[in-house]
Amino acid sequence: MQPGLSFEENMLEARQAYPDVSQCPVRGVLDQIANKWSVLIISALAERPYRFGELRREIGDISQRMLTQTLRDLQADGLVEREVFPTTPPSVEYRLSPLGHSLLVPLRSLVQWSFDNFPAIREARQQFADVA
Amino acid sequence: MQPGLSFEENMLEARQAYPDVSQCPVRGVLDQIANKWSVLIISALAERPYRFGELRREIGDISQRMLTQTLRDLQADGLVEREVFPTTPPSVEYRLSPLGHSLLVPLRSLVQWSFDNFPAIREARQQFADVA
DNA sequence: CTGCATCCTGGAGGATACTG
DNA sequence: CAGTATCCTCCAGGATGCAG
């Protein structure tokens, strides 16, 4: 974010500067954590490295297709590191990169906010539903 | 978030506690900010209240359908307040609620992170593409 | 001006079967 | 064990037209 520019200014100017959505920094990150499984995978890897199967069992109801795909995306963005051990049968370990760890900081704030304010949101939804 | 529980533990236990995804606090918030336009609208309203048409012009390439729908969702969650002025023609003003303003705090962190680390992500993507 | 109703398309994501 | 390949479904979101 440029110094001297407020959050709002940056958000809106970011769209001017990046007419191609796929190139916008904010949208790129937002889309990533918006994925159904990204945050869940990142939070699991925040604890310790996991092997593919371990991660699958830990999360529980993720399809192997989406686990593979999400891990690839996170790896492509440099948030997750992948290490293959050429054993038989093969074993692959996934861990958070330093960049991935740094993302935990703002992510924690957001998760914290979600927990803190969910009651209020829940109530607001109820009231809104009653009126409508 | 429960005291004594780490971020990771909470994320994973949250899924146990809320098997219905639509009831999970974290997913609820994540899905909301994941919307293509939510963060953009919130950031605009962080500056000052806006009327419908103003907001439409400010954002630029949002369809009126999605503007209406996203505003309704934000309103339902209690993040945005809607006030109708019975003039002719009618005028409607949208503003951030206190809850909506409180969301700006963690949101700013995330947006800040995006700007700070986009170069690294960009480079990671390039390298990943080269290898593959 | 501020919407709602309708139609339509692309892409996220699930289920299933196969491979090194 | 750790994936890849297909097929299929569902819905976010765009375009357009109408209304109070």
Side-chain angles (χ1 to χ4, degrees):
Chain A
M1 210 181 279
Q2 296 178 37
L5 288 187
S6 69
F7 163 74
E8 307 77 51
E9 288 167 337
N10 263 294
M11 283 301 298
L12 291 170
E13 290 194 2
R15 301 191 57 261
Q16 308 287 341
Y18 302 91
D20 181 359
V21 175
S22 66
Q23 298 303 314
C24 174
V26 181
R27 275 248 58 87
V29 173
L30 253 38
D31 286 347
Q32 188 59 50
I33 73 160
N35 284 331
K36 191 170 179 180
W37 304 109
S38 287
V39 174
L40 222 43
I41 292 176
I42 289 175
S43 65
L45 294 180
E47 190 188 344
R48 63 172 177 86
Y50 273 86
R51 292 179 51 190
F52 188 88
E54 274 183 322
L55 211 44
R56 187 150 160 54
R57 282 187 298 277
E58 177 71 32
I59 297 185
D61 58 348
I62 188 175
S63 66
Q64 124 276 45
R65 169 176 149 72
M66 290 319 294
L67 181 53
T68 300
Q69 184 173 310
T70 309
L71 281 170
R72 283 293 175 286
D73 291 345
L74 293 173
Q75 189 193 354
D77 283 1
L79 299 172
V80 160
E81 294 165 354
R82 177 178 185 267
E83 186 175 6
V84 181
F85 299 93
T87 56
T88 51
S91 148
V92 181
E93 198 173 271
Y94 294 91
R95 73 185 68 247
L96 240 45
S97 71
L99 187 62
H101 269 105
S102 76
L103 177 56
L104 286 176
V105 178
L107 219 47
R108 265 185 255 261
S109 304
L110 200 62
V111 169
Q112 182 69 54
W113 188 93
S114 304
F115 275 91
D116 292 346
N117 296 283
F118 187 62
I121 292 181
R122 198 177 177 73
E123 188 177 354
R125 281 183 187 159
Q126 188 58 49
Q127 284 191 358
F128 190 80
D130 290 345
V131 175
Chain B
M1 207 182 279
Q2 297 179 37
L5 287 187
S6 70
F7 163 73
E8 308 77 52
E9 288 167 337
N10 264 294
M11 282 302 298
L12 292 170
E13 291 194 1
R15 300 190 59 258
Q16 308 288 340
Y18 302 91
D20 182 0
V21 174
S22 66
Q23 297 303 315
C24 173
V26 181
R27 275 248 58 88
V29 173
L30 251 37
D31 286 348
Q32 188 59 50
I33 72 161
N35 283 332
K36 191 171 180 179
W37 305 108
S38 287
V39 173
L40 222 44
I41 292 176
I42 289 175
S43 66
L45 293 179
E47 188 187 345
R48 62 172 177 85
Y50 272 87
R51 291 180 49 192
F52 188 86
E54 273 182 324
L55 211 43
R56 187 150 160 53
R57 281 188 298 278
E58 176 71 33
I59 297 187
D61 57 348
I62 187 174
S63 67
Q64 130 275 44
R65 169 175 151 71
M66 289 321 293
L67 181 55
T68 300
Q69 184 173 310
T70 308
L71 282 170
R72 283 295 174 283
D73 291 344
L74 293 172
Q75 189 192 354
D77 283 1
L79 298 172
V80 159
E81 292 164 356
R82 176 177 187 268
E83 186 176 5
V84 181
F85 299 94
T87 55
T88 50
S91 147
V92 182
E93 197 172 273
Y94 294 91
R95 73 184 68 246
L96 240 44
S97 70
L99 187 61
H101 270 105
S102 75
L103 177 56
L104 286 177
V105 179
L107 220 48
R108 264 185 255 263
S109 304
L110 200 61
V111 170
Q112 183 69 55
W113 187 93
S114 305
F115 274 91
D116 292 346
N117 296 283
F118 187 62
I121 292 181
R122 198 177 178 73
E123 189 178 352
R125 280 182 187 160
Q126 189 57 50
Q127 284 192 359
F128 190 79
D130 289 346
V131 175

